[in-house]
Amino acid sequence: MRSGEAGVEKSLEDWERKTQGREEGEGGEVLIRNCSMEEVVQKIHEGSTLWKVRGVNKWFHRHYKVDVDNMSLVGESKKWWSPGGGLGSDGPENAVPLLEVTEVREGWRTDTFNKVSSHSEKLKEKAPGEEPLLEENRCFSVIHGAGGREVLDLVASSEEERDAWVSGLAYLVQSVKVLHEERQYDVWLRKQFEEADKDNNGSLNFNECCALLKQLNIKMDKIHAKKLFNQANTSKLKRDGEQVLEVDEFVSFYHSLLKMPEVEKLFKKYASEKTLLMSADQLLTFLQRDQGLSSMDDTGATKLINEYELSDLKDKGYMTQDGFYHMLLSDMFDVFNSHHQNNIHQDMNHPLSHYFISSSHNTYLTGHQLAGESSVEGYISALKKGCRLLELDVWDGDGGEPIIYHGHTLTSKITLADVLRDGIKAYAFEASPYPVILSIENHLSIDQQKVMVKLMKEILGDMLLTEPVSEDLIAVPSPESMKNKVIVRGKKPQGNEVESDDDDDDQDTIDYIDSDDGASQSKKKPHKPLAPELREVVNVCEGKKFISFQNAYETYKCVNTPSIGEIKAKSLFESSPDDFLKFTERNVTKVYPLGTRTDSSNLKPYPFWSVGCQIVALNMQTEDKANFYNDALFRTNGICGYVLKPGILLREEPYSPTELTDRYTKVLRVTILSGQHLPNSAKKGDIVDPYVQVKVRGHPQDQQKQRTKVVKNNGELDLV
């Protein structure tokens, strides 16, 4: 069962659990005994009036419903009410496509609800007898948008209504994602068709189809295209005397234009000459001979026919050329081994220092380093991506409660308790069972350091790794031995008394905003004393200042882990790569971005990976090449956040970072057949001049690229 289908099944199970023993209430409550999911979907399709919460004093009345035709959540009305009194407007409501929804969350588990609940608690203390402004069991949040960083906080009229919305939305979201996984490009094509259908009559004539195809960078012969157009018009529908295609017919027409001669030739090589169909035996021959899948058998070939053949012929055990085409474009035939993305296949019993670790920099930030928003959603988003190292920049807060923000800047503040409870405890092991590392940037007073330790132990409970390490430990424990554990990475006093943190490592240099002129400056952070309570939570990842490799060889224990700034790390990489590699065999090393990257840009991670650096911290809220490289690396082991270093970085075989011999040389040959689904030209009406470029990134001696010739005026790129 695929992940999306499993999600649909879970939504149904959750719904059945919630409806057991529930009956319809006096107010026409949504939940009733034995109510089916179909009835629930109908209820939220009709919609109901909810409160949209945007702040302590901003609640907006909205009639929300699910537009089933367009699979989106829609809010209506522009009025809002404030608990302080008065009406207003927050502008038009945008539809939220269900495809972009990453989670439907119950209760007070977002930044806004945390602020509202805190405000409610204060009001309750002042007026204990009054009813609360809102109850947690009526609240839910829809998390959506790129990276799951957009939040829609809603309040229902009852717990029953809330449960109906949560269960119904979760079911529809999973259902639409299953559909998207199967035919995601067709969904996009339908959208293009709808935009081209200017008069909204649900059809396009031949000239309108040609205009749309030009926008989609399809180069075609009109006579051939007209023939395929007529074949696609199975309904024989006409408009104003002209043949027209409806949306399903247009999708078929589009795909018929894209059939590649190379694929057709390959299909005919193995298919029956008479029927032009491929049986399971014939498919098996292709898989074993051309694809080298020697372990494939008849059962596997039949399964592929059932999965990728779109017509009823699959019931008779045959695959058409269209089915063959869809199979070749599936994940199974990708150059990347999809099994590695979906399964943890590496040995997870090596010491922690033998793995690259997916790591986030200033995890709490959702944007700019100097004036962006701090949010629990930053932690949730990172954890859902499989990130295993999170940064907590902790400062003294009001009322004795530690807060998290980018110190001495205009970034907003969130509480440590909210991050631990709503972010880390709730999501730490949703994407991966392997240990989560909390990298602490400690700016707290002694009293609030004690509070931090207390909160960690109370909120995280048994999840927190608290066992002290043995003095004679020679290697950091393995990810396997620390599954489902949260590790605290930070400095601690060596004795049982308060000690001063007198290490001036690179991370002690901080950027801040001068209140007079708003300019970004840097200064050394004042030394903070370290509370002895830190010894209760810091163990296998103990922070220690990096002076030199020679000093580290002499003074570092295996649990000591330095933080090295981008500039210093680059200098060490260039001047002492062999020492760098030797050091990272045993000690987990963190490299973090330059403080002047105020736009949340990132360093290149692969040079530091090539000398074994386990932690290369990235601003994960930024979509850039560095994060693409990071995503690619951590896809290779089930997106669990840990990737075992190659043998040459673990000294399992002779290797020098500065010299590669023929022993390690591998030749990769790539044949480019064609390119499809390319983006439009920046200039309207133009067709792009495409080419393909292949780059290798990693070891300095591997840095090279190759590219094909440019093909003029060919939006679909034929490079055979």
Side-chain angles (χ1 to χ4, degrees):
M1 182 180 289
R2 284 170 293 187
S3 59
E5 293 170 340
V8 173
E9 291 294 327
K10 185 177 185 303
S11 298
L12 289 172
E13 290 171 5
D14 290 345
W15 174 251
E16 290 169 359
R17 174 179 53 79
K18 288 180 178 178
T19 55
Q20 282 183 340
R22 288 272 183 89
E23 296 181 357
E24 187 170 6
E26 294 180 1
E29 295 167 343
V30 175
L31 280 185
I32 57 176
R33 187 189 296 273
N34 298 323
C35 182
S36 69
M37 182 57 73
E38 184 179 346
E39 291 172 297
V40 173
V41 170
Q42 181 59 34
K43 288 281 188 183
I44 63 177
H45 171 55
E46 294 169 359
S48 62
T49 300
L50 306 171
W51 288 109
K52 172 184 174 182
V53 181
R54 293 189 61 185
V56 171
N57 294 313
K58 282 193 175 182
W59 299 10
F60 304 83
H61 232 176
R62 290 277 190 271
H63 182 82
Y64 280 95
K65 67 178 183 180
V66 172
D67 181 349
V68 178
D69 291 333
N70 294 304
M71 278 297 177
S72 59
L73 175 63
V74 182
E76 299 171 345
S77 171
K78 300 188 180 75
K79 298 297 181 184
W80 59 269
W81 170 81
S82 165
L87 290 171
S89 169
D90 72 336
E93 188 76 18
N94 293 322
V96 177
L98 296 189
L99 193 59
E100 296 180 5
V101 174
T102 60
E103 184 183 0
V104 184
R105 192 181 300 167
E106 297 179 0
W108 294 340
R109 293 166 56 203
T110 64
D111 297 327
T112 296
F113 272 141
N114 282 331
K115 291 174 184 176
V116 172
S117 64
S118 177
H119 180 70
S120 296
E121 289 297 321
K122 291 178 182 177
L123 291 180
K124 193 186 296 184
E125 292 174 5
K126 294 180 180 178
E130 292 188 10
E131 289 291 319
L133 289 174
L134 78 165
E135 298 168 335
E136 185 174 7
N137 62 4
R138 294 191 289 118
C139 300
F140 68 103
S141 304
V142 179
I143 317 301
H144 63 98
R149 294 179 182 272
E150 299 294 325
V151 181
L152 178 61
D153 292 308
L154 301 169
V155 183
S157 61
S158 66
E159 181 180 359
E160 290 77 12
E161 183 181 51
R162 187 279 305 270
D163 286 347
W165 273 102
V166 170
S167 298
L169 281 174
Y171 173 78
L172 288 176
V173 166
Q174 292 299 335
S175 298
V176 77
K177 286 182 178 178
V178 169
L179 174 66
H180 185 69
E181 288 173 5
E182 294 175 349
R183 300 298 297 274
Q184 56 181 319
Y185 194 72
D186 287 1
V187 172
W188 179 81
L189 278 177
R190 289 171 182 274
K191 184 178 179 181
Q192 305 308 308
F193 179 94
E194 290 168 4
E195 291 178 358
D197 182 16
K198 303 299 183 184
D199 47 9
N200 296 317
N201 59 21
S203 62
L204 298 178
N205 61 31
F206 180 67
N207 288 333
E208 289 171 329
C209 285
C210 289
L212 175 55
L213 291 170
K214 186 175 181 180
Q215 290 180 28
L216 300 178
N217 284 329
I218 303 294
K219 185 180 181 183
M220 59 190 165
D221 174 79
K222 281 207 170 185
I223 296 176
H224 177 62
K226 182 65 174 177
K227 179 183 176 182
L228 295 177
F229 178 91
N230 292 336
Q231 291 174 356
N233 186 17
T234 55
S235 66
K236 303 304 178 186
L237 184 67
K238 290 188 176 182
R239 190 187 74 211
D240 298 331
E242 287 186 283
Q243 289 196 64
V244 292
L245 300 184
E246 296 176 304
V247 62
D248 288 333
E249 295 171 327
F250 172 77
V251 171
S252 297
F253 171 54
Y254 176 88
H255 285 301
S256 68
L257 283 167
L258 295 184
K259 287 182 178 176
M260 294 181 284
E262 301 78 29
V263 174
E264 185 175 358
K265 182 180 178 181
L266 188 61
F267 179 78
K268 288 180 177 179
K269 178 180 176 182
Y270 292 97
S272 169
E273 291 184 17
K274 288 184 178 181
T275 62
L276 283 182
L277 296 174
M278 186 178 283
S279 67
D281 286 342
Q282 291 164 334
L283 176 59
L284 180 61
T285 302
F286 159 73
L287 294 171
Q288 291 179 338
R289 288 183 183 175
D290 278 59
Q291 297 300 117
L293 300 175
S294 57
S295 61
M296 183 65 70
D297 56 17
D298 288 332
T299 302
T302 300
K303 184 179 178 182
L304 290 176
I305 291 176
N306 290 330
E307 184 168 358
Y308 295 110
E309 177 53 45
L310 305 178
S311 74
D312 293 338
L313 286 168
K314 65 183 176 184
D315 298 332
K316 298 179 180 180
Y318 291 108
M319 176 178 274
T320 63
Q321 186 176 318
D322 281 341
F324 186 70
Y325 177 79
H326 281 287
M327 182 188 72
L328 293 181
L329 292 181
S330 70
D331 287 345
M332 178 182 176
F333 289 83
D334 197 287
V335 65
F336 178 80
N337 189 334
S338 60
H339 175 77
H340 291 173
Q341 175 173 321
N342 301 321
N343 297 276
I344 300 168
H345 66 96
Q346 294 180 338
D347 182 358
M348 302 302 289
N349 291 292
H350 286 250
L352 194 70
S353 59
H354 287 197
Y355 297 85
F356 297 122
I357 304 171
S358 181
S359 306
S360 170
H361 177 64
N362 288 352
T363 316
Y364 49 90
L365 289 179
T366 58
H368 199 279
Q369 298 286 309
L370 300 182
E373 286 291 318
S374 301
S375 173
V376 176
E377 296 302 325
Y379 292 93
I380 295 174
S381 176
L383 287 168
K384 282 187 168 185
K385 293 176 182 176
C387 178
R388 297 290 86 186
L389 182 135
L390 312 172
E391 287 191 355
L392 284 73
D393 209 340
V394 287
W395 298 77
D396 282 1
D398 296 334
E401 182 176 9
I403 57 173
I404 293 175
Y405 83 113
H406 201 188
H408 304 293
T409 69
L410 302 179
T411 57
S412 60
K413 302 173 177 67
I414 51 179
T415 68
L416 172 64
D418 286 345
V419 169
L420 293 174
R421 182 185 61 250
D422 297 334
I424 294 160
K425 183 178 182 180
Y427 294 90
F429 305 109
E430 181 175 296
S432 167
Y434 291 102
V436 168
I437 303 171
L438 305 183
S439 188
I440 306 298
E441 296 302 314
N442 185 359
H443 309 277
L444 298 171
S445 62
I446 287 291
D447 287 343
Q448 293 210 19
Q449 287 180 44
K450 295 177 180 179
V451 173
M452 175 178 70
V453 172
K454 183 171 180 287
L455 287 172
M456 287 178 172
K457 296 173 82 169
E458 287 180 352
I459 295 173
L460 299 179
D462 292 341
M463 294 168 61
L464 187 65
L465 186 68
T466 57
E467 292 82 1
V469 295
S470 169
E471 287 295 323
D472 57 358
L473 189 70
I474 60 172
V476 188
S478 69
E480 188 68 30
S481 69
M482 297 186 287
K483 284 175 77 170
N484 299 307
K485 288 295 184 180
V486 175
I487 299 168
V488 176
R489 178 184 184 273
K491 293 177 181 177
K492 67 178 182 181
Q494 299 306 301
N496 294 320
E497 303 295 330
V498 173
E499 292 181 12
S500 175
D501 173 14
D502 57 1
D503 282 346
D504 284 324
D505 58 19
D506 289 353
Q507 215 141 348
D508 288 331
T509 299
I510 55 177
D511 297 304
Y512 71 101
I513 295 291
D514 187 279
S515 57
D516 295 327
D517 59 16
S520 175
Q521 302 182 33
S522 297
K523 68 175 184 179
K524 292 284 185 181
K525 76 175 183 183
H527 295 314
K528 287 282 186 182
L530 298 172
E533 283 77 7
L534 291 170
R535 292 173 57 85
E536 299 172 18
V537 294
V538 176
N539 35 60
V540 298
C541 285
E542 181 185 345
K544 184 174 175 64
K545 178 185 177 182
F546 180 84
I547 298 174
S548 68
F549 288 122
Q550 187 58 42
N551 174 268
Y553 298 148
E554 296 170 357
T555 65
Y556 266 51
K557 302 174 184 177
C558 66
V559 297
N560 289 143
T561 167
S563 294
I564 306 176
E566 177 181 352
I567 297 298
K568 187 171 184 177
K570 185 179 179 183
S571 174
L572 292 170
F573 167 77
E574 292 172 347
S575 63
S576 310
D578 289 290
D579 284 327
F580 217 149
L581 180 59
K582 179 181 176 182
F583 178 68
T584 56
E585 287 177 53
R586 181 172 178 261
N587 292 89
V588 175
T589 302
K590 175 184 175 183
V591 176
Y592 62 92
L594 191 63
T596 54
R597 292 183 180 273
T598 56
D599 59 351
S600 296
S601 60
N602 283 304
L603 50 79
K604 293 178 181 177
Y606 51 81
F608 305 110
W609 288 334
S610 72
V611 288
C613 289
Q614 299 85 351
I615 300 170
V616 183
L618 300 179
N619 291 297
M620 288 193 165
Q621 72 271 32
T622 305
E623 291 190 10
D624 59 6
K625 287 183 179 180
N627 271 302
F628 296 157
Y629 297 139
N630 196 71
D631 291 345
L633 174 66
F634 290 100
R635 282 177 65 195
T636 61
N637 192 32
I639 319 181
C640 74
Y642 290 87
V643 168
L644 185 64
K645 297 180 192 177
I648 55 175
L649 295 185
L650 300 176
R651 304 284 182 160
E652 293 175 357
E653 47 189 297
Y655 167 69
S656 168
T658 56
E659 183 179 353
L660 285 181
T661 65
D662 291 341
R663 177 180 180 180
Y664 302 108
T665 300
K666 289 187 178 181
V667 177
L668 177 66
R669 292 184 175 89
V670 180
T671 300
I672 307 296
L673 297 179
S674 68
Q676 298 179 2
H677 311 160
L678 302 180
N680 296 336
S681 170
K683 189 174 181 182
K684 192 173 181 180
D686 278 1
I687 293 181
V688 296
D689 301 330
Y691 62 90
V692 172
Q693 182 168 272
V694 178
K695 297 180 180 179
V696 177
R697 292 290 179 260
H699 190 283
Q701 292 188 24
D702 284 337
Q703 305 282 349
Q704 58 172 299
K705 60 185 177 182
Q706 297 288 338
R707 57 174 282 179
T708 65
K709 66 180 187 297
V710 172
V711 181
K712 294 290 186 181
N713 297 316
N714 186 349
E716 282 304 304
L717 186 61
D718 186 1
L719 294 170
V720 178

